[in-house]
Amino acid sequence: MMYPFSEVEEKWQKFWDDNQIYKTDFNKIDNKLYSLVMFIYPSGSKLHIGHWYNYGPNDSWARYKKLIGYNVFEPIGYDAFGLPAENYAIKTGVHPYDSTMQNIKDIREQLKRMGCMYDWDAELMTCDPEYYKWNQWLFLQLYKKGLAYRKNAPVNWCPNDQTVLANEQVTANGTCDRCGAVVVQKNLTQWFFKITEYTEELLQGLDTINWPEKTKLMQRNWIGKSVGAEADFKVFGSDEVITVFTTRPDTLYGVTYVVLAPEHPLVDKLTSPEYKNDVNTYREFVKTLSELERTSTIKEKTGIPIGAYAINPVDSKKVPIWIADYALLTYGTGCVMAVPGHDERDFEFARKFALPVKKVILEPGTDADTELLKAYTGTGKMISSDEFNGLDSEIGKQRIIEYLEKRNFGRRKINYRLRDWLISRQRYWGTPIPVIHCPECGIVPVDEKDLPVNLPYEVEFNPSGKSPLTTNADFMNVKCPKCGSDAKRDADTMDTFVDSSWYYFRYLNPHINDAIFDMKKAEDWVPVDMYVGGAEHATMHLLYARFIHKFLRDLGLTQSDEPFRNLLHQGTITNKGAKMSKSKGNVVNPDEFTQKYGSDVFRMYLMFMGPYDLGGDWSDHGISGVDRFVQRTYELFNRFKNLSEKVKTKEKFEIETLNQDEKSIYRKVNHTIKKFEAEINNFRFNTAIASLMELINELKNINNCSKELQLFSLERFAILLAPVAPHLAEECREILGNKESIFMHPLWYSYDEAALVADTVNIAV
RNA sequence: GCCGAAGUGGCGGAAUUGGUAGACGCGCUGGACUCAAAAUCCAGUGGGGCUCACACCUCGUGCCGGUUCGAGUCCGGCCUUCGGUACCA
């Protein structure tokens, strides 16, 4: 008899729904478990295998937790704003709202067929004004605290299409992926959130959360703390000062030139007239380079002198000022002191342009006359450094800083790589920035009572050189709330990472309209106990969310310091070696498999494929093995219909009273419970399922057992199946003669320790 | 380039974290059932060697080296692949 998965799954999904089994009682908090998955990005495509791989196994873990007694909250929602829907609109003319809503409708149906424990009352979508209103509110709070500010920042600009391009739309050659034109950098005034206000706390906080070490390490490196000093170089024949940041103040005597970022504002002031033309040409060239190209240590550096000189604060020597691609305005002060003798990049640059190399740190085992064949970047005795000669460079670092500070030529300084968060997007499909630009009053934030600023439906998406919202006059033209004169709204929208920075609060009460979230509920349910999502979010989303959480705490809205107590990454399921994405056209549709095998089989196959955190390349080879396992399971239970009505349940057996087959089955059942629990608790689903397969292989001798042991084994088998194949487990247990759903109340069996001891033990010598 | 990972049979992977490498599954081979096929069930299955056979020997966890009585696991150096690199999310 074939397992009728389609009817069975429909039947139990309806039963769970009718009985509201997965509605969370938010008042029971002593055993609460907030299990969160990264929400769905619906403007690209429907659910794909990556989503299933994230959600299915995580639901199995949560189901296990529910069975052992946790009060689980498992929400799902839609990260509905974003670029792909807008690009789709430009291509096809289908409005982003329409395509997104259609996608959400389709995805919701797919999600329901997965059979996860979602609490549908908690469903939310970020493109709903009742959601993005609170993005705007959040913006206003940040603005009020001085943590939202405007400054110039470059964007990728396609001069042909007259539009801003996402990094993804720029090819490796620096051309527009639509029209092939060379992309340039263009400065626009844009909004930033001042995440750097929280840098040190974001760094320290990593020690308090249970996240994968690699993720914490990536965040640490992303924040990029470095301890060093700033040194002020006076510009020769000018009042201007060039301030550099260095981690190696001990090499200050080795400076032979100074480099400014080509876009540094001082370049205009300092370039001498005869260099102007070359400098301008060079600056145009640098605009075509990506940051990655500019900082690559393998690519040959470029640069030119600007005809000006700086004075080294320690020895008053005159050194030339250059501009070069590898100096970035966004890191440190945008100015670099170059020490070719002790920095590899500077060495290479000095070689190329015949700039002097000066040795000021002695590599142990060499002397002052040994020629430097490459930069020596280690520590050693200081030489050619006046009063600091002979000092160990580590001590010299401190002495030089003291020297600079005493003369007011510099100061101790900690620098971070982390930059403020640019949130302005010159796009339509996002949260409007709640700001009005008044010719009289300047920037006027929208009053909180006037939120939300609704995103209008009628706009022109086709690129016109300006943000799409400018094409809707009704939206753009407003009276200034302060003075009443004619004013304009901000035409930009927010980065969608703003939406995803606080949604875990909103799930608790997605529809309240008088607050961003219910503080009491949030205190009970946040931090999230387990957050599972892709490792590709390690540095951006997961850092932004931590920042916003800390900001909300400082507003007094929550007590906790961190949003996600535990974090795990499922691996990436690739297709032909590459991450699945609509733009690559290599998305695998899960429906094909769920229709053929059912959702339990598909879920189990994804879990059985390999370690959860590794993912792997997609292949459907092997799904038939899981299907066979399910068929054999169903067939096995059908041989024992209504057994529970004929036999009394027994909790434990005395091993000595059992025959040989009974003994090994009794052992296997108990051993499997132990093994399965240990594996699923740690998200090791592949071995958890392997243990169930071992169990059913053992159960082939079940006919030689007493009725009591048969019932004992099958009951336990059904419950072990429940987390990983919930529909099948319900059905099998019903076949045995049980009337109630497994998931109605906590239900788990412990194992008999005495059964685990084997008769003989092999010891390797 | 930089930051973070991964590499084990024909394939996906397992190995209680330094102690019998290859659990479980796919595939394949042989057998049973069948007029036949499919499905199902049973047996075998890392390479090489030696055996009628049981057994036994030997090589083997990306590459090179090291530590150790003992290394898939630890250390150093590479190679390849993947994720991120601040406007895909």
Side-chain angles (χ1 to χ4, degrees):
Chain A
M1 183 187 346
M2 286 292 284
Y3 171 53
F5 66 82
S6 182
E7 291 133 61
V8 170
E9 290 182 357
E10 202 175 316
K11 166 181 155 190
W12 287 102
Q13 281 169 20
K14 183 168 185 309
F15 179 90
W16 296 332
D17 203 34
D18 291 348
N19 292 278
Q20 308 241 318
I21 282 183
Y22 306 134
K23 293 264 177 285
T24 307
D25 179 354
F26 289 104
N27 295 316
K28 281 200 220 148
I29 59 165
D30 49 316
N31 55 348
K32 75 98 178 175
L33 187 123
Y34 188 166
S35 169
L36 182 68
V37 292
M38 290 181 183
F39 59 176
I40 298 163
Y41 186 69
S43 52
S45 60
K46 299 214 286 179
L47 280 197
H48 59 73
I49 287 189
H51 293 112
W52 256 94
Y53 192 60
N54 187 182
Y55 305 156
N58 187 71
D59 177 70
S60 289
W61 176 82
R63 280 182 185 272
Y64 164 70
K65 290 293 185 184
K66 186 177 171 70
L67 289 174
I68 63 172
Y70 283 93
N71 180 27
V72 176
F73 177 47
E74 190 175 298
I76 194 73
Y78 313 95
D79 188 10
F81 279 139
L83 181 67
E86 194 162 337
N87 285 340
Y88 185 70
I90 293 168
K91 227 190 204 162
T92 64
V94 179
H95 193 282
Y97 177 84
D98 299 336
S99 62
T100 301
M101 285 324 221
Q102 184 57 48
N103 274 335
I104 287 177
K105 219 178 130 220
D106 294 342
I107 289 170
R108 188 184 289 120
E109 288 314 306
Q110 287 181 299
L111 284 168
K112 292 205 163 167
R113 286 197 304 271
M114 284 179 76
C116 292
M117 302 193 291
Y118 297 127
D119 182 339
W120 289 99
D121 289 348
E123 187 189 32
L124 61 76
M125 57 181 88
T126 58
C127 62
D128 194 323
E130 76 176 1
Y131 188 88
Y132 68 70
K133 170 184 176 178
W134 298 103
N135 281 340
Q136 295 170 337
W137 179 87
L138 187 65
F139 179 97
L140 295 177
Q141 308 314 308
L142 285 156
Y143 182 76
K144 253 192 258 174
K145 302 278 181 192
L147 297 177
Y149 68 95
R150 294 219 303 171
K151 72 172 179 188
N152 265 325
V155 292
N156 302 312
W157 180 256
C158 174
N160 182 47
D161 288 347
Q162 288 286 298
T163 186
V164 174
L165 297 178
N167 290 341
E168 191 188 47
Q169 298 174 285
V170 182
T171 66
N173 308 323
T175 57
C176 171
D177 73 349
R178 262 199 293 259
C179 72
V182 172
V183 174
V184 297
Q185 301 296 301
K186 178 177 164 181
N187 266 317
L188 294 177
T189 308
Q190 309 192 70
W191 285 100
F192 285 80
F193 286 169
K194 205 169 182 181
I195 189 173
T196 54
E197 190 79 8
Y198 286 86
T199 309
E200 196 55 40
E201 207 204 324
L202 287 167
L203 192 57
Q204 306 292 331
L206 291 171
D207 296 331
T208 69
I209 46 183
N210 184 24
W211 285 19
E213 277 311 314
K214 62 164 186 168
T215 311
K216 295 205 258 185
L217 188 55
M218 278 191 267
Q219 288 213 347
R220 278 188 198 107
N221 292 337
W222 185 262
I223 291 167
K225 182 177 186 171
S226 45
V227 178
E230 282 182 353
D232 300 330
F233 285 64
K234 285 204 174 97
V235 176
F236 181 73
S238 154
D239 296 335
E240 299 293 347
V241 170
I242 292 172
T243 301
V244 302
F245 171 78
T246 178
T247 56
R248 293 295 303 271
D250 52 315
T251 65
L252 207 39
Y253 281 88
V255 173
T256 59
Y257 59 99
V258 167
V259 182
L260 304 188
E263 49 282 85
H264 199 288
L266 273 178
V267 176
D268 282 325
K269 290 183 191 163
L270 302 182
T271 306
S272 69
E274 65 272 30
Y275 285 81
K276 277 252 150 75
N277 275 339
D278 289 347
V279 164
N280 285 337
T281 310
Y282 182 69
R283 292 171 98 184
E284 286 306 313
F285 162 70
V286 170
K287 278 185 187 173
T288 66
L289 299 176
S290 70
E291 195 171 301
L292 197 146
E293 290 174 298
R294 286 176 61 171
T295 52
S296 166
T297 52
I298 199 158
K299 194 188 127 287
E300 202 164 85
K301 306 296 162 300
T302 64
I304 55 167
I306 64 169
Y309 295 86
I311 309 293
N312 189 329
V314 286
D315 60 9
S316 303
K317 293 247 166 68
K318 228 173 102 178
V319 293
I321 302 172
W322 284 57
I323 54 176
D325 53 0
Y326 72 85
L328 299 178
L329 197 55
T330 49
Y331 183 79
T333 60
C335 311
V336 182
M337 64 179 222
V339 185
H342 306 288
D343 181 281
E344 283 165 14
R345 198 177 48 185
D346 297 343
F347 185 85
E348 206 186 300
F349 193 84
R351 274 283 172 89
K352 180 173 176 187
F353 295 105
L355 289 156
V357 177
K358 188 178 168 194
K359 193 199 292 190
V360 294
I361 307 287
L362 217 48
E363 183 174 0
T366 68
D367 59 44
D369 297 327
T370 316
E371 198 198 340
L372 275 175
L373 295 172
K374 55 175 191 161
Y376 173 64
T377 57
T379 56
K381 272 207 175 12
M382 293 174 68
I383 55 166
S384 306
S385 303
D386 296 343
E387 61 188 272
F388 303 99
N389 284 340
L391 279 180
D392 180 85
S393 55
E394 282 306 307
I395 297 162
K397 263 184 198 171
Q398 303 309 318
R399 293 285 167 78
I400 297 239
I401 293 171
E402 286 157 23
Y403 177 93
L404 290 171
E405 283 180 334
K406 209 168 353 165
R407 285 162 184 75
N408 208 19
F409 288 154
R411 58 217 66 84
R412 200 171 295 278
K413 173 83 179 176
I414 294 174
N415 192 57
Y416 299 91
R417 210 183 70 96
L418 182 67
R419 313 202 287 249
D420 279 337
W421 175 11
L422 192 166
I423 60 118
S424 294
R425 297 290 181 269
Q426 293 71 41
R427 307 193 190 285
Y428 165 71
W429 192 229
T431 303
I433 292 174
V435 161
I436 290 163
H437 299 275
C438 170
E440 305 298 322
C441 315
I443 289 168
V444 183
V446 172
D447 201 301
E448 279 181 33
K449 71 173 169 21
D450 295 329
L451 298 181
V453 176
N454 281 305
L455 183 71
Y457 186 88
E458 296 295 337
V459 293
E460 177 55 57
F461 307 110
N462 287 316
S464 62
K466 284 179 180 162
S467 294
L469 283 175
T470 54
T471 61
N472 183 311
D474 288 345
F475 174 82
M476 289 302 292
N477 298 319
V478 282
K479 298 289 178 203
C480 169
K482 250 191 201 163
C483 71
S485 46
D486 287 343
K488 298 262 188 219
R489 287 196 188 279
D490 200 301
D492 288 354
T493 53
M494 294 183 207
D495 179 5
T496 52
F497 277 127
V498 177
D499 314 9
S500 54
S501 288
W502 60 279
Y503 72 111
Y504 53 94
F505 277 116
R506 191 69 186 176
Y507 272 139
L508 297 166
N509 37 46
H511 305 300
I512 61 169
N513 56 25
D514 58 345
I516 185 166
F517 54 81
D518 178 332
M519 276 176 64
K520 166 72 175 68
K521 246 178 170 177
E523 239 17 70
D524 289 345
W525 283 82
V526 174
V528 167
D529 297 286
M530 180 56 81
Y531 193 29
V532 179
E536 67 271 22
H537 292 294
T539 46
M540 300 181 71
H541 159 58
L542 287 167
L543 195 62
Y544 294 143
R546 293 181 61 220
F547 158 52
I548 294 298
H549 188 95
K550 288 170 193 299
F551 175 69
L552 290 167
R553 176 204 60 196
D554 290 348
L555 287 180
L557 295 177
T558 184
Q559 303 279 317
S560 51
D561 295 318
E562 292 283 345
F564 315 120
R565 202 186 311 248
N566 297 286
L567 172 78
L568 274 181
H569 303 299
Q570 86 278 11
T572 315
I573 302 292
T574 54
N575 188 17
K576 296 182 184 77
K579 193 178 154 186
M580 288 184 206
S581 73
K582 204 185 180 185
S583 53
K584 288 191 194 115
N586 63 345
V587 174
V588 180
N589 182 2
D591 294 354
E592 184 189 324
F593 300 98
T594 55
Q595 276 155 22
K596 187 165 174 198
Y597 298 102
S599 85
D600 282 345
V601 169
F602 189 57
R603 177 200 294 229
M604 270 197 285
Y605 176 59
L606 289 173
M607 290 193 277
F608 185 61
M609 269 173 46
Y612 190 49
D613 57 351
L614 286 188
D617 203 43
W618 171 254
S619 152
D620 58 4
H621 289 300
I623 192 168
S624 57
V626 176
D627 185 48
R628 267 173 221 157
F629 167 73
V630 166
Q631 299 296 347
R632 283 159 70 200
T633 302
Y634 184 70
E635 188 267 339
L636 172 70
F637 277 87
N638 271 295
R639 278 161 45 206
F640 297 94
K641 260 187 194 150
N642 297 321
L643 183 64
S644 69
E645 287 164 14
K646 299 169 198 152
V647 191
K648 261 188 118 170
T649 308
K650 211 173 150 186
E651 285 306 307
K652 209 174 171 180
F653 293 77
E654 294 304 322
I655 297 188
E656 306 79 64
T657 67
L658 302 173
N659 68 35
Q660 217 37 54
D661 283 333
E662 289 176 333
K663 219 183 250 183
S664 51
I665 283 179
Y666 186 62
R667 280 212 179 99
K668 195 68 182 179
V669 170
N670 282 292
H671 185 261
T672 305
I673 294 172
K674 185 180 182 182
K675 167 93 173 159
F676 182 89
E677 252 185 303
E679 302 298 65
I680 199 161
N681 215 5
N682 291 297
F683 286 76
R684 290 193 296 256
F685 303 108
N686 53 335
T687 45
I689 289 177
S691 75
L692 298 184
M693 290 175 169
E694 284 186 53
L695 177 60
I696 201 171
N697 289 342
E698 189 73 36
L699 290 179
K700 69 186 170 194
N701 298 325
I702 195 168
N703 285 340
N704 305 338
C705 296
S706 66
K707 287 253 176 318
E708 283 80 10
L709 187 58
Q710 287 173 346
L711 182 64
F712 173 93
S713 305
L714 293 172
E715 273 182 331
R716 274 148 189 78
F717 185 29
I719 299 304
L720 287 170
L721 274 171
V724 295
H727 310 88
L728 174 70
E730 291 272 37
E731 189 68 12
C732 287
R733 196 160 167 279
E734 193 181 72
I735 290 167
L736 271 192
N738 291 283
K739 298 287 175 254
E740 202 181 45
S741 164
I742 295 171
F743 296 100
M744 211 71 121
H745 304 291
L747 174 54
W748 195 257
Y749 296 107
S750 52
Y751 54 87
D752 178 1
E753 197 71 54
L756 302 179
V757 185
D759 283 337
T760 55
V761 181
N762 293 328
I763 295 168
V765 183

